[in-house]
Each structure stands twice: as C-alpha cells, then as structure tokens.
Amino acid sequence: MKKPSDLCHRRDNCRLCGSSYLKLVLELTPTPLANEFVPQSALHLEQLTFPLELFLCNDCKHVQLLDVVDPHVMFERYVYVSGTSPVFVKHFQKYAKMIVEGFLPDGHRNAQVLDIGSNDGTLLSCFKDLGIKVLGVDPARDIATDATERGLETIAEFFSPALANRIRKSHGMFDLITANNVFAHADDLSGIVAGLDILLSKNGVFVFEVSYLVDVYEKCLFDTIYHEHLAYHTVGPLRNLFGSNDFELIDTLRIKSHGGSLRGAVQRKGGPYSISESVEELITMEKNLGLDTVQTFVSFSDKINKIKFELMNLLSQIKEIGANIAAFGAPAKATTLMYHFGIGPDIIEYIVDDSPLKQDLYTPGLHIPVLPSDTIYSEKPDYVLILAWNFADSIIEKHQKFIDKGGKFIVPLPQVKVL
C-alpha cells in the first residue's frame, strides 16, 4: 500500500527566492487530492491524505505550500474543464479580446499565441476566433487529445524549458503567451520563466491570471487552498521573481474570477511598454494589509473558524428539523471546505454538477455521489449548499425554478447566506 511520502515530498526552501527562512502560518485539515474523484468500483480503496499547510517566506514574503504532490498524479487524468461554465467562456472571450487589442497593436494576421495549461482549449478557441494561430500545452492527456481533435492543437505535456526548445524549433516564437489559473500550480516557477525566455518574441508579452492572496485573505476564501495550488501570489514577490530573470511586470489588474484573481502582464526588460502605476499601488496595498506578517494569518485562521461555526450551526439546525441537504458544484475547492469544516455524507446526501466528467463519480475521500444538476428537481431537496460559490449568482439565476418550488440555496462564502 502506498504511503503519502511515496507521492509527496516537502521542499525546504522558497520556490520563488530559494530562501530557507520559512514560517508556518496556516494549518488546514489534511485532505486527499482535491480532484481525485473515484468510481463506485473504487470506493473500497483508501485515498491518501496530504498536509495542507501554508508557509510564509520571511525574505521575499511569498506564501506557499511546501508539500509537493507528484504532478503526474494530479494532472494527467484531470477532470476539470473550463468549457462547462458559461461564466468562464464569457470571461475568456472578453479576456482574449482585451489582451489582443492591448498587446498586438500592429494587427495579428501573423501573430501566434501559446497557452500554458490550456485545458480544453476554451481560451485558445477565443484567440482562434479572432484569426490568430494558437498552440496549447496541457498535461491532461484525454483533455488535450480532445482539444486537438477539435482543431486546437495541444501538446499533452508539462511545460518546461526542454519542451520550450522543441516548440521553438517546430513553431517559432510567440507574440503572446498566456497561463491562466496554472501559474500557481507549478513547483518550478523559475523553470516556467526560463521557458518564456526561450519562446517569447522580442516585444512579446506574457499574461497570466492567478488567485490573488489579497482576495483569499479579505474574503476568507480559504477553500481555494489545496494541493494543486502551490503558490498564493501577491504582486511584490512576483515582481521580484520576474525581475531576477530579466523580465519586468508591467501591469496588474484585479478581476472577479474565482472569487478574486490577479491578472499580470510581463515583458522582457526594456520592452516596448511602460510600467503601469497599478504594480506599485497593489504592492503598497499588500503591505498595508500585512500580508508579509505572521499575525495577519493568525487573524485569517480566526475568521475561518467563525465562518465554520456559523455554517455548521445552520446545517445542524436544518438536519435537526428533518430537512435534507444536497450540494451544487463539485469544484476542487469543495474538498478543502468539506474536510476542514467536517461536512460529510451525514450532512450532504449528494452533489450535483454540470460536468459530465464528474457525474456518476464520488467525491475525494468523503465519497459523496456526484449526479447531474437536474437531480435537484427529481429528488427535491429542501436545501442546496452551493459549493461552487464563485458561480452562485449564475447557478441561482439558472435554477430560479428550484426556489419557486420552495427550495432554498445556501452560499457558504465569502459569507454564509440563505436564499
């Protein structure tokens, strides 16, 4: 039988600056891998759990997990796809248009874009619709194969300097390189930056989106902490990372996706674009919030415990009166929330989700069944806990009929609400 140590190792230095001066600042309940859904035939097999602990680098102030799970285990059989969410499709359409207009000023007839961690090609298709040549890189083999079959060429590998050299030989340089919700997933961020150096054209721009630690802290979005997310980014440490590798962070923008994210743009040092005031403004805000201090994370832990008490008290009262509870959405973040709060099959009878890749499977470790979303109409639960809380508005709008028939939705974060 495999042990956690067979699939996971703990690094002893900061993945941004290499410092060994690290401090444990938040300890969450150990969980299985957040996307390790299992079929009924595997319910008898024990699923390993791994530590979920945040560390602060006392030198560069980067916040991170030090326990690194084998990425092949996490990503080669990935079950998350962007295209099942209308919200994300619209987000990527606007995003592609904005960065093409901003960073391809001379037109894009001969331009080409590389998307690192391209998933099912949702963003690639937006660039392709704008007439741009595209290439994706993603280690999830089945998802990458499907994207390629749909005309969105995707290399089913992890991005690395070695792969970047092969891509340069076969495809040349790229005017835009993107990485969305993946720049926090890699243990070797310097390796990704080295790959950018190989593939980004002289005046090219790298644009990335990551969950923003400011939003995680301010809104208490602790459930976005799971093993796929090794880095919890702020602008200050990122500026240092790029600066030490002959790049410069030229623009930053706070966006709403995933409850609060950061979009950054990077060019080679001395490139054609001036550095936006937004970079220094966000660094100042981060310092004012105290995200470089241990005490801030002590208060963060207190906020998590307060929400836990409020939500669990509500769910207990509902169960005491004999009402039943289902859940909506089986995102990775649900694993962290359910484990840390102690929400198991004794409270939630089943979860519904729009993704066919998750339906008829069981959640990691707790083994709650995942069913199609129309199940809430056939089974008619009294309450539905929205685990995909970042899509709560669109879920509620789409399922107004559930409310009209007497059902109630519960939103757990950023604050507990019953609708």
Side-chain angles (χ1 to χ4, degrees):
M1 179 180 294
K2 287 187 176 181
K3 306 184 297 294
S5 58
D6 294 330
L7 300 176
C8 179
H9 71 275
R10 172 167 285 196
R11 62 180 299 148
D12 58 6
N13 64 343
C14 173
R15 62 176 47 84
L16 257 64
C17 75
S19 170
S20 297
Y21 189 23
L22 301 157
K23 177 70 175 177
L24 175 65
V25 292
L26 181 67
E27 189 171 1
L28 299 176
T29 303
T31 74
L33 299 181
N35 275 308
E36 197 173 49
F37 293 80
V38 296
Q40 187 174 22
S41 61
L43 289 179
H44 66 288
L45 300 175
E46 180 185 3
Q47 288 183 269
L48 299 174
T49 61
F50 304 93
L52 206 50
E53 301 173 349
L54 277 187
F55 289 79
L56 171 69
C57 173
N58 280 287
D59 285 332
C60 78
K61 309 305 179 183
H62 178 54
V63 176
Q64 59 207 290
L65 300 183
L66 296 182
D67 293 280
V68 183
V69 180
D70 183 348
H72 296 276
V73 175
M74 287 195 289
F75 297 117
E76 287 186 350
R77 293 182 291 110
Y78 211 45
V79 294
Y80 171 80
V81 289
S82 305
T84 58
S85 168
V87 174
F88 257 109
V89 172
K90 291 180 182 178
H91 169 72
F92 280 140
Q93 287 170 342
K94 293 179 180 178
Y95 172 35
K97 187 172 184 289
M98 179 182 295
I99 63 175
V100 166
E101 290 176 350
F103 297 118
L104 291 177
D106 298 324
H108 47 266
R109 184 173 300 171
N110 297 313
Q112 58 177 354
V113 175
L114 172 70
D115 189 22
I116 300 170
S118 53
N119 195 252
D120 63 352
T122 299
L123 179 58
L124 289 179
S125 66
C126 297
F127 287 121
K128 188 173 181 180
D129 289 344
L130 294 172
I132 301 172
K133 291 185 291 185
V134 298
L135 177 68
V137 174
D138 198 289
R141 291 171 295 192
D142 292 345
I143 295 174
T145 298
D146 178 68
T148 298
E149 289 174 350
R150 290 184 287 108
L152 303 165
E153 183 185 357
T154 304
I155 300 171
E157 294 184 35
F158 288 96
F159 186 74
S160 66
L163 177 59
N165 277 313
R166 283 166 32 214
I167 291 174
R168 180 167 175 170
K169 290 178 181 177
S170 60
H171 292 77
M173 307 283 274
F174 290 81
D175 308 283
L176 279 176
I177 299 178
T178 56
N180 305 290
N181 306 305
V182 295
F183 201 60
H185 293 58
D187 188 30
D188 183 15
L189 291 180
S190 293
I192 291 181
V193 176
L196 296 177
D197 189 37
I198 294 166
L199 287 173
L200 195 64
S201 64
K202 179 182 177 182
N203 293 325
V205 175
F206 169 58
V207 184
F208 63 91
E209 288 184 356
V210 290
S211 175
Y212 192 25
L213 184 59
V214 168
D215 292 287
V216 173
Y217 169 70
E218 287 188 326
K219 302 173 187 175
C220 206
L221 309 182
F222 75 96
D223 59 342
T224 59
I225 300 169
Y226 48 90
H227 300 101
E228 292 172 14
H229 293 167
L230 293 170
Y232 297 84
H233 287 300
T234 47
V235 176
L238 280 172
R239 181 174 66 174
N240 294 339
L241 169 68
F242 291 116
S244 63
N245 286 275
D246 292 323
F247 287 93
E248 53 190 7
L249 185 62
I250 56 172
D251 196 17
T252 53
L253 177 69
R254 296 183 70 177
I255 56 177
K256 294 181 179 180
S257 61
H258 292 294
S261 295
L262 173 74
R263 180 182 296 167
V266 177
Q267 68 179 2
R268 296 183 185 278
K269 281 187 177 177
Y273 301 100
S274 58
I275 297 176
S276 167
E277 293 179 357
S278 64
V279 176
E280 196 61 50
E281 288 170 356
L282 290 188
I283 291 173
T284 299
M285 179 189 65
E286 293 162 3
K287 290 179 179 177
N288 290 339
L289 283 173
L291 292 177
D292 54 353
T293 67
V294 173
Q295 185 57 40
T296 295
F297 292 92
V298 174
S299 66
F300 184 45
S301 181
D302 292 340
K303 289 163 66 177
I304 294 169
N305 290 333
K306 182 179 179 181
I307 292 174
K308 176 181 179 178
F309 176 81
E310 185 178 354
L311 179 63
M312 295 311 294
N313 188 48
L314 171 65
L315 297 179
S316 296
Q317 290 176 4
I318 291 171
K319 297 300 287 187
E320 284 174 3
I321 63 173
N324 57 347
I325 306 171
F328 203 115
K333 61 171 69 73
T335 301
T336 299
L337 188 145
M338 291 191 294
Y339 264 83
H340 195 64
F341 281 5
I343 301 173
D346 57 323
I347 296 175
I348 294 176
E349 298 181 15
Y350 56 87
I351 298 173
V352 299
D353 195 278
D354 289 330
S355 173
L357 293 177
K358 295 181 181 179
Q359 292 167 7
D360 300 321
L361 297 176
Y362 293 77
T363 62
L366 298 171
H367 295 164
I368 300 171
V370 182
L371 306 172
S373 56
D374 59 7
T375 304
I376 62 172
Y377 298 105
S378 60
E379 295 296 321
K380 301 176 182 177
D382 300 298
Y383 290 82
V384 172
L385 175 66
I386 301 180
L387 296 172
W389 49 258
N390 51 316
F391 298 127
D393 290 344
S394 63
I395 289 170
I396 292 167
E397 181 181 357
K398 184 176 180 180
H399 295 281
Q400 179 64 40
K401 185 170 69 171
F402 173 73
I403 296 177
D404 294 341
K405 291 181 177 294
K408 295 181 176 67
F409 284 111
I410 302 170
V411 182
L413 294 171
Q415 59 252 354
V416 178
K417 294 186 293 185
V418 179
L419 303 169

